[in-house]
Amino acid sequence: MAGAPTDIERIMAPDAVAVVGASTDETKRGHQAIVTLQEGGYEGDIYPVNPNAEEIRGLDVYPAVSAIPGRVDLALIVTPAHIVPSVLEDCAETDLAGAVVIAVGFSEAGENGEQLEAEIVSLAREHGIRLIGPNTSGMINVHRGLNLVGADTVPEGSLALLCQSGNMAISLFTEAATREGVGFSHYVGVGNEADLQFHEYLPFLDADPETDAIVCYVEGMSDGRAFLQAARDIVPETPIVVLKSGRSDVGKRSASSHTGSLAGDAAVTDAVLEQAGVVSVERSDELLSVANALSSLPRADSPNVGILADGGGHATLAADACSERGLSIPRLTDQTQERLQAVLPDAASVVNPVDVAGGTDNDQSVFVDCAAAIIADPNVDALMLTGLFGGYGVRFAEQYTDVEIEAARELASLAADHDTPLVVQSAYEGFDTEPHAVLREQGIPVVESLDVATASLSALATYGDRVAVADQSSDFQLPAATTDDTLADTIGNGRTQLSEFEAKRALADDGFPVTPFDLATSADEAAALAADIDGPVAMKVVSPDIVHKSDAGGVALNVGLDAAAATYEDLCSAAAEYDPDASLDGVLISPMRDAGVELIIGVVDDDQFGPVVMCGLGGVFVEVLEDIAFRALPLTEADARAMLDDIEAQELLDGARGNPPVDRDAVVDLLVAVSTFVQANPSVTELDLNPVFADADGVEIVDAAITLDEQPQQHTKNEDTESAAPSQGETDD
Amino acid sequence: MAGAPTDIERIMAPDAVAVVGASTDETKRGHQAIVTLQEGGYEGDIYPVNPNAEEIRGLDVYPAVSAIPGRVDLALIVTPAHIVPSVLEDCAETDLAGAVVIAVGFSEAGENGEQLEAEIVSLAREHGIRLIGPNTSGMINVHRGLNLVGADTVPEGSLALLCQSGNMAISLFTEAATREGVGFSHYVGVGNEADLQFHEYLPFLDADPETDAIVCYVEGMSDGRAFLQAARDIVPETPIVVLKSGRSDVGKRSASSHTGSLAGDAAVTDAVLEQAGVVSVERSDELLSVANALSSLPRADSPNVGILADGGGHATLAADACSERGLSIPRLTDQTQERLQAVLPDAASVVNPVDVAGGTDNDQSVFVDCAAAIIADPNVDALMLTGLFGGYGVRFAEQYTDVEIEAARELASLAADHDTPLVVQSAYEGFDTEPHAVLREQGIPVVESLDVATASLSALATYGDRVAVADQSSDFQLPAATTDDTLADTIGNGRTQLSEFEAKRALADDGFPVTPFDLATSADEAAALAADIDGPVAMKVVSPDIVHKSDAGGVALNVGLDAAAATYEDLCSAAAEYDPDASLDGVLISPMRDAGVELIIGVVDDDQFGPVVMCGLGGVFVEVLEDIAFRALPLTEADARAMLDDIEAQELLDGARGNPPVDRDAVVDLLVAVSTFVQANPSVTELDLNPVFADADGVEIVDAAITLDEQPQQHTKNEDTESAAPSQGETDD
């Protein structure tokens, strides 16, 4: 942090803080804030602000921020909501970098609140002040003793917490307080994200020497795409772990009434966070432990875990838990097994998981011998010690404590020497024993829950791959369109829904592999086109007014050559009957194809993350099983490959049921091409290729639908594109 | 327990215990066992047995059990394995009820150990002694102070633990020691289950007034079916919670090397335990909390949960966690919402989840007002309080502690008055606060993890349904066959695989809905049979030597009338080419059918639970997604319905994708009929109806395969059925 500090540095590590709304009344937040600052050991300047007081706890009180003689970095504003605008006005001429706005009653509280929030954002921007909140519990710089929250004791450590719930923050502080070795560097209650948003804290925390990992509790992000971008840039150095709530429908409803945030689709959120190299956890009881493991341990080079257990039960359960999380428990080499056999009783299992079978009952240094053998094994890149370690002194005989302490020291050294992550699960975690303290001092996590221990190992094992994929991702900032958006012009008339013929033509013109198609505008022409095609044909009515062709009786499959002309008439009559006012462009004629594997590929617009590519297996897989992969646009080849790996039933791509494997490269190319197409045509709000047939020879788009925005526009904000396009004509499909 | 005590009563609650292998050496188990008994407060008689000692810790030592003057109920045998037979011999003439055999080196340790285990079981049976173990850590009757394990402190309480791992027992004791309000009545290390098996302890524990719930850690059961039977009989009174390890392949390998038990398929185990009304947990960190909740709380009448949170974060996360577990968070009635609004600030959410939004900051009795409103709501049958309750005194101001204590008392009364389960999740669980102690005294669980709290509520909410379904289950004891097993006689020649024709005939004769079929033995006959059928036909070669007809080119579908004769010849030639030695019975001819929804229904023989009916949707659903429901035979209608509910993609049965709903009753009837058929034909080891077509009008079996045991036998053990059937001829399919 050389040179003049940036605004965000002055906000996150201020040298001088004003408390606006400071109070002489000891029960008031405006008083407690001063107490907390003084007692927390904050060494910067503290300026109470209150027009009606002269002195609070030995400090001079100023009538306004503008009246403070020195430079103030940050103002903590504890006044009610309606006072905030005048406070910001008063700061117009000061060099204030930022303000923390505690008050509720803004956008989370309905229309009036939304107006007030817009007003303070506007004032803040005008006066060059960044805002944290409003509707926040505050912020804390733990190492500086700067506690603007009033939270009791926040254990010091290396985790930064960005949090959208004050009570969740208290929960996490409390959890850390009972888990030795876990603590915090910074806390920010991001509140309504009216100005400063989640992503804007990331570069500061990445550069902060006191922060090793970032923990986020997110209900909804106001700029998800910017978060992806900022996250991707820092994850190689600073891991980010996110707990996203509002996963269920009821949860979404609850989250939106809480912070006024939109809680988007959990499947999309999980997928795009993975794309950016962020680790997601689904359970709140895993958040802190996973983050702690990522902050203090090296990454594993592979998902291959060695399990060292002091009993068969723990060995078996650990193997189950690891398998459940996608970790592997490879056989140890013969050499390793011999080393283990040499120090363990005959009853021991030495294949992996290793069960010492009583071999450590009287001498816990045997754990070190075993760990040394396992860690040296080339098949293994991470180690879990599970069972009772650290509790032998408590459980069996006091003299074991010293043996365990020495063993703990050696285990930590071993792990450090081999740069191998080691996680210790112990039933005695709650006893805060000395051997556990030794492990924790060396950065080795000790956890009580086997499942939480496994979640931590899993994060360490997948983290490297994630960062590598993220590193190959494009920038998430959507570039301005590089070509003119001609699609909308092409179809004209303010229409938003392209016919299948128009959609296929646009795609085919762009080089997409579309099943051959042509438009017949008469029965004779239909017969002629069918004659040009080898084998039976598919015929579909084309009308700008009919979206659901099947419902209209407008689709005929497997039509023989002789029947093509009659079928043309049938389809047109059926369409006319379905909607007498529909204008008919003709009938689309294509050869019939064998399905191979049916895919659905599309682009949808996510509330938080913008345009997102989706891909799934056709039919029930998407519709019933919701087995769908998502990635934020623009897609790289690595992203597209990762999407296919995300599909649970992907076995079907690899030749299940006696079929030859699908040409994955062709699917990957198609996914990337879809991404490129939508970027180049920013008026496209929805694209649906359903079905796409894939087999060993490639892919073919069999049906396509494209929906445009009401008026041509670019994904990036562009204020020149206001036009008077008609506002009706939206499809509600 | 009136009348003379049974053997199991004398074993589990003995009045006199012999310690065989008692020792004067303080470091030996045979000495420590005496110390533990004396110091644990055991009031029964203790008889040390050792031919080479006279007195240990003030007790007379006897040279043998047979030399003890008084009646001995239970012997703890701590001698090495090879001594155990002579100890049992010595007990021949005594009135010993049982013995706990600690030694390892039996069936878990290979062939010699297996022999030794068979020997001690045989001796024990001969002399009327029941055995716990071998390879066990022992047993404990906590309330009597009878600790035969040497485990340090086992918290007293109402959970009985049956456990197949000594270290897991220590883990659970340790976990309970740090969780106020959770404790044990009995512990049995079942070890190798050489004699006494899991199920044999259940009736005693059910009758035991000190036991409210049973916790099982299971690696593999030697008589799973007997466990189902015993469990089903007691679950209405005494809940059983099972953690089954060895779920993964590596876990299975590990479990079998640990106890020598077979660790069967996890999906089968989960399903049949559910059938018997047993609650399964998959995570070891949920086991104790779920059991504790079931032991102390009333069941919920529905899965409808009210959530009361002191912040939006907890409200949202709790809603997510509940939804994830299949619980519902219904809207509260308008009346309830009004009651809540009356006591909460405007910012509060009152729909459900309820977020008090600061409304309890200064007065925690508001929690009681809110809980009263929610508990009285007719839409809600369970309550979760989540967030910081019990920590206000710690976190905010000491004077709140008294308010919280009073609130805790009132919350517990409320729950009791309404017979509604209440689970409290608190970030301050680890602080052991007074309000938490008050809740726990009243049987209200307080847990730190939101996910564990939710698991507990989920168990309470589903328990009633489970017990009701279990109550409708048949006895799991398979009755002896009620009809002669004619299938094997019919096909003769020691064959084990019925041809499709034979299988369909057997099923059709029994009234199963099989697609019409007939056997053509010449091309002319094929043409004649095809002519009798309306529309195209399916033709399949029938040969006792060809199991995989498709692989042999022996199947033709959609054959028109004109082609039937030629196809007959084609199929026969193809079969002859595939296997020149195959004898051909002819060609099976059936009408073609529309699939509707394709099902696979079958019976498989599970290692632990015997014959099990399976059912899934056809094709990829079973083969790729492993979306399969299982139930142990014999099946009741309720079981069959529950199976269909277990199928994840069951939406497809209900008319997904525009199809009319499948006739579930017909599927249920078929499942029950399959169960009845296999019971009546105990020589059937495998039955496979694949596919079965189901639609709105019913079901039809389109293909069927039946495999018989090598020699006719009954599922129940019958020593008269030894025969000299040839042992070759097994299929390896």
Side-chain angles (χ1 to χ4, degrees), chain B residues 616-638:
Chain B
L617 293 161
V620 295
F621 288 96
V622 164
E623 291 168 26
V624 177
L625 302 174
E626 297 179 8
D627 181 9
I628 312 172
F630 298 94
R631 284 296 182 281
L633 195 136
L635 235 59
T636 61
E637 202 188 302

mmCIF file of all heavy atoms in Angstrom, chain B residues 616-638:
data_model
loop_
_atom_site.group_PDB
_atom_site.id
_atom_site.type_symbol
_atom_site.label_atom_id
_atom_site.label_comp_id
_atom_site.label_asym_id
_atom_site.label_seq_id
_atom_site.Cartn_x
_atom_site.Cartn_y
_atom_site.Cartn_z
ATOM 1 N N GLY B 616 -38.070 -49.041 -10.420
ATOM 2 C CA GLY B 616 -37.564 -47.766 -10.905
ATOM 3 C C GLY B 616 -38.143 -47.476 -12.269
ATOM 4 O O GLY B 616 -38.813 -48.333 -12.867
ATOM 5 N N LEU B 617 -37.909 -46.273 -12.740
ATOM 6 C CA LEU B 617 -38.312 -45.945 -14.101
ATOM 7 C C LEU B 617 -37.294 -46.547 -15.050
ATOM 8 O O LEU B 617 -36.112 -46.665 -14.723
ATOM 9 C CB LEU B 617 -38.393 -44.426 -14.271
ATOM 10 C CG LEU B 617 -39.529 -43.804 -13.441
ATOM 11 C CD1 LEU B 617 -39.307 -42.318 -13.246
ATOM 12 C CD2 LEU B 617 -40.865 -44.051 -14.128
ATOM 13 N N GLY B 618 -37.759 -46.907 -16.231
ATOM 14 C CA GLY B 618 -36.915 -47.674 -17.146
ATOM 15 C C GLY B 618 -35.738 -46.887 -17.704
ATOM 16 O O GLY B 618 -35.633 -45.666 -17.544
ATOM 17 N N GLY B 619 -34.855 -47.617 -18.338
ATOM 18 C CA GLY B 619 -33.753 -47.004 -19.072
ATOM 19 C C GLY B 619 -32.767 -46.297 -18.176
ATOM 20 O O GLY B 619 -32.335 -46.845 -17.166
ATOM 21 N N VAL B 620 -32.420 -45.065 -18.552
ATOM 22 C CA VAL B 620 -31.357 -44.343 -17.844
ATOM 23 C C VAL B 620 -31.670 -44.126 -16.373
ATOM 24 O O VAL B 620 -30.761 -43.954 -15.575
ATOM 25 C CB VAL B 620 -31.085 -42.970 -18.484
ATOM 26 C CG1 VAL B 620 -30.533 -43.164 -19.886
ATOM 27 C CG2 VAL B 620 -32.338 -42.125 -18.504
ATOM 28 N N PHE B 621 -32.936 -44.089 -16.008
ATOM 29 C CA PHE B 621 -33.262 -43.777 -14.612
ATOM 30 C C PHE B 621 -32.684 -44.811 -13.661
ATOM 31 O O PHE B 621 -32.158 -44.485 -12.616
ATOM 32 C CB PHE B 621 -34.775 -43.664 -14.419
ATOM 33 C CG PHE B 621 -35.330 -42.427 -15.025
ATOM 34 C CD1 PHE B 621 -35.888 -42.445 -16.282
ATOM 35 C CD2 PHE B 621 -35.250 -41.226 -14.343
ATOM 36 C CE1 PHE B 621 -36.374 -41.297 -16.853
ATOM 37 C CE2 PHE B 621 -35.745 -40.069 -14.911
ATOM 38 C CZ PHE B 621 -36.299 -40.100 -16.174
ATOM 39 N N VAL B 622 -32.805 -46.065 -14.038
ATOM 40 C CA VAL B 622 -32.220 -47.107 -13.203
ATOM 41 C C VAL B 622 -30.736 -47.258 -13.509
ATOM 42 O O VAL B 622 -29.896 -47.283 -12.619
ATOM 43 C CB VAL B 622 -32.964 -48.450 -13.413
ATOM 44 C CG1 VAL B 622 -32.147 -49.605 -12.867
ATOM 45 C CG2 VAL B 622 -34.333 -48.395 -12.743
ATOM 46 N N GLU B 623 -30.412 -47.323 -14.808
ATOM 47 C CA GLU B 623 -29.042 -47.706 -15.169
ATOM 48 C C GLU B 623 -28.035 -46.596 -14.914
ATOM 49 O O GLU B 623 -26.918 -46.859 -14.484
ATOM 50 C CB GLU B 623 -29.002 -48.121 -16.640
ATOM 51 C CG GLU B 623 -29.726 -49.429 -16.890
ATOM 52 C CD GLU B 623 -29.931 -49.683 -18.374
ATOM 53 O OE1 GLU B 623 -29.150 -49.168 -19.193
ATOM 54 O OE2 GLU B 623 -30.898 -50.395 -18.705
ATOM 55 N N VAL B 624 -28.416 -45.369 -15.209
ATOM 56 C CA VAL B 624 -27.450 -44.271 -15.074
ATOM 57 C C VAL B 624 -27.676 -43.494 -13.782
ATOM 58 O O VAL B 624 -26.738 -43.196 -13.047
ATOM 59 C CB VAL B 624 -27.529 -43.317 -16.289
ATOM 60 C CG1 VAL B 624 -26.572 -42.148 -16.113
ATOM 61 C CG2 VAL B 624 -27.230 -44.075 -17.571
ATOM 62 N N LEU B 625 -28.925 -43.187 -13.487
ATOM 63 C CA LEU B 625 -29.187 -42.312 -12.336
ATOM 64 C C LEU B 625 -29.378 -43.096 -11.034
ATOM 65 O O LEU B 625 -29.420 -42.507 -9.962
ATOM 66 C CB LEU B 625 -30.421 -41.450 -12.614
ATOM 67 C CG LEU B 625 -30.314 -40.589 -13.872
ATOM 68 C CD1 LEU B 625 -31.642 -39.896 -14.148
ATOM 69 C CD2 LEU B 625 -29.212 -39.552 -13.714
ATOM 70 N N GLU B 626 -29.495 -44.391 -11.140
ATOM 71 C CA GLU B 626 -29.691 -45.232 -9.955
ATOM 72 C C GLU B 626 -30.830 -44.718 -9.066
ATOM 73 O O GLU B 626 -30.727 -44.688 -7.851
ATOM 74 C CB GLU B 626 -28.386 -45.368 -9.162
ATOM 75 C CG GLU B 626 -27.318 -46.059 -10.004
ATOM 76 C CD GLU B 626 -25.973 -46.215 -9.290
ATOM 77 O OE1 GLU B 626 -25.903 -45.928 -8.084
ATOM 78 O OE2 GLU B 626 -25.010 -46.629 -9.952
ATOM 79 N N ASP B 627 -31.895 -44.310 -9.725
ATOM 80 C CA ASP B 627 -33.090 -43.815 -9.031
ATOM 81 C C ASP B 627 -34.010 -45.012 -8.804
ATOM 82 O O ASP B 627 -34.934 -45.253 -9.578
ATOM 83 C CB ASP B 627 -33.745 -42.737 -9.909
ATOM 84 C CG ASP B 627 -34.982 -42.132 -9.279
ATOM 85 O OD1 ASP B 627 -35.249 -42.423 -8.092
ATOM 86 O OD2 ASP B 627 -35.677 -41.361 -9.968
ATOM 87 N N ILE B 628 -33.714 -45.757 -7.765
ATOM 88 C CA ILE B 628 -34.376 -47.041 -7.545
ATOM 89 C C ILE B 628 -34.939 -47.100 -6.130
ATOM 90 O O ILE B 628 -34.276 -46.697 -5.171
ATOM 91 C CB ILE B 628 -33.378 -48.212 -7.709
ATOM 92 C CG1 ILE B 628 -32.575 -48.048 -9.003
ATOM 93 C CG2 ILE B 628 -34.102 -49.556 -7.682
ATOM 94 C CD1 ILE B 628 -31.449 -49.056 -9.143
ATOM 95 N N ALA B 629 -36.163 -47.579 -6.006
ATOM 96 C CA ALA B 629 -36.761 -47.774 -4.687
ATOM 97 C C ALA B 629 -36.661 -49.251 -4.314
ATOM 98 O O ALA B 629 -36.791 -50.116 -5.173
ATOM 99 C CB ALA B 629 -38.224 -47.336 -4.716
ATOM 100 N N PHE B 630 -36.415 -49.504 -3.050
ATOM 101 C CA PHE B 630 -36.321 -50.884 -2.550
ATOM 102 C C PHE B 630 -37.254 -51.070 -1.358
ATOM 103 O O PHE B 630 -37.459 -50.147 -0.577
ATOM 104 C CB PHE B 630 -34.895 -51.197 -2.075
ATOM 105 C CG PHE B 630 -33.835 -51.114 -3.139
ATOM 106 C CD1 PHE B 630 -33.105 -49.951 -3.321
ATOM 107 C CD2 PHE B 630 -33.568 -52.200 -3.949
ATOM 108 C CE1 PHE B 630 -32.116 -49.875 -4.296
ATOM 109 C CE2 PHE B 630 -32.584 -52.136 -4.920
ATOM 110 C CZ PHE B 630 -31.857 -50.969 -5.095
ATOM 111 N N ARG B 631 -37.759 -52.266 -1.190
ATOM 112 C CA ARG B 631 -38.437 -52.659 0.048
ATOM 113 C C ARG B 631 -38.215 -54.147 0.265
ATOM 114 O O ARG B 631 -38.185 -54.918 -0.699
ATOM 115 C CB ARG B 631 -39.953 -52.403 -0.015
ATOM 116 C CG ARG B 631 -40.382 -50.944 0.132
ATOM 117 C CD ARG B 631 -40.040 -50.368 1.496
ATOM 118 N NE ARG B 631 -40.488 -48.986 1.649
ATOM 119 C CZ ARG B 631 -39.873 -47.914 1.157
ATOM 120 N NH1 ARG B 631 -38.775 -48.038 0.452
ATOM 121 N NH2 ARG B 631 -40.353 -46.708 1.358
ATOM 122 N N ALA B 632 -38.074 -54.499 1.515
ATOM 123 C CA ALA B 632 -37.916 -55.925 1.818
ATOM 124 C C ALA B 632 -39.240 -56.632 1.596
ATOM 125 O O ALA B 632 -40.312 -56.110 1.887
ATOM 126 C CB ALA B 632 -37.454 -56.110 3.262
ATOM 127 N N LEU B 633 -39.157 -57.786 1.083
ATOM 128 C CA LEU B 633 -40.303 -58.662 0.885
ATOM 129 C C LEU B 633 -40.679 -59.281 2.243
ATOM 130 O O LEU B 633 -39.766 -59.487 3.049
ATOM 131 C CB LEU B 633 -39.790 -59.725 -0.075
ATOM 132 C CG LEU B 633 -40.619 -60.684 -0.841
ATOM 133 C CD1 LEU B 633 -40.034 -60.710 -2.248
ATOM 134 C CD2 LEU B 633 -40.517 -62.042 -0.190
ATOM 135 N N PRO B 634 -41.905 -59.572 2.610
ATOM 136 C CA PRO B 634 -43.109 -59.393 1.791
ATOM 137 C C PRO B 634 -43.632 -57.949 1.843
ATOM 138 O O PRO B 634 -43.543 -57.289 2.874
ATOM 139 C CB PRO B 634 -44.102 -60.341 2.455
ATOM 140 C CG PRO B 634 -43.629 -60.498 3.868
ATOM 141 C CD PRO B 634 -42.174 -60.238 3.886
ATOM 142 N N LEU B 635 -44.190 -57.538 0.723
ATOM 143 C CA LEU B 635 -44.639 -56.162 0.554
ATOM 144 C C LEU B 635 -46.129 -56.035 0.860
ATOM 145 O O LEU B 635 -46.937 -56.825 0.375
ATOM 146 C CB LEU B 635 -44.465 -55.799 -0.925
ATOM 147 C CG LEU B 635 -43.650 -54.581 -1.286
ATOM 148 C CD1 LEU B 635 -42.249 -54.757 -0.743
ATOM 149 C CD2 LEU B 635 -43.595 -54.430 -2.801
ATOM 150 N N THR B 636 -46.473 -55.008 1.632
ATOM 151 C CA THR B 636 -47.890 -54.674 1.759
ATOM 152 C C THR B 636 -48.201 -53.563 0.754
ATOM 153 O O THR B 636 -47.300 -52.986 0.141
ATOM 154 C CB THR B 636 -48.214 -54.137 3.158
ATOM 155 O OG1 THR B 636 -47.459 -52.946 3.363
ATOM 156 C CG2 THR B 636 -47.873 -55.158 4.226
ATOM 157 N N GLU B 637 -49.471 -53.266 0.631
ATOM 158 C CA GLU B 637 -49.869 -52.189 -0.265
ATOM 159 C C GLU B 637 -49.225 -50.876 0.172
ATOM 160 O O GLU B 637 -48.765 -50.098 -0.657
ATOM 161 C CB GLU B 637 -51.395 -52.075 -0.230
ATOM 162 C CG GLU B 637 -51.971 -51.401 -1.442
ATOM 163 C CD GLU B 637 -53.457 -51.145 -1.278
ATOM 164 O OE1 GLU B 637 -54.194 -52.128 -1.069
ATOM 165 O OE2 GLU B 637 -53.845 -49.962 -1.345
ATOM 166 N N ALA B 638 -49.179 -50.651 1.479
ATOM 167 C CA ALA B 638 -48.564 -49.403 1.983
ATOM 168 C C ALA B 638 -47.095 -49.345 1.608
ATOM 169 O O ALA B 638 -46.573 -48.294 1.218
ATOM 170 C CB ALA B 638 -48.725 -49.319 3.502
#
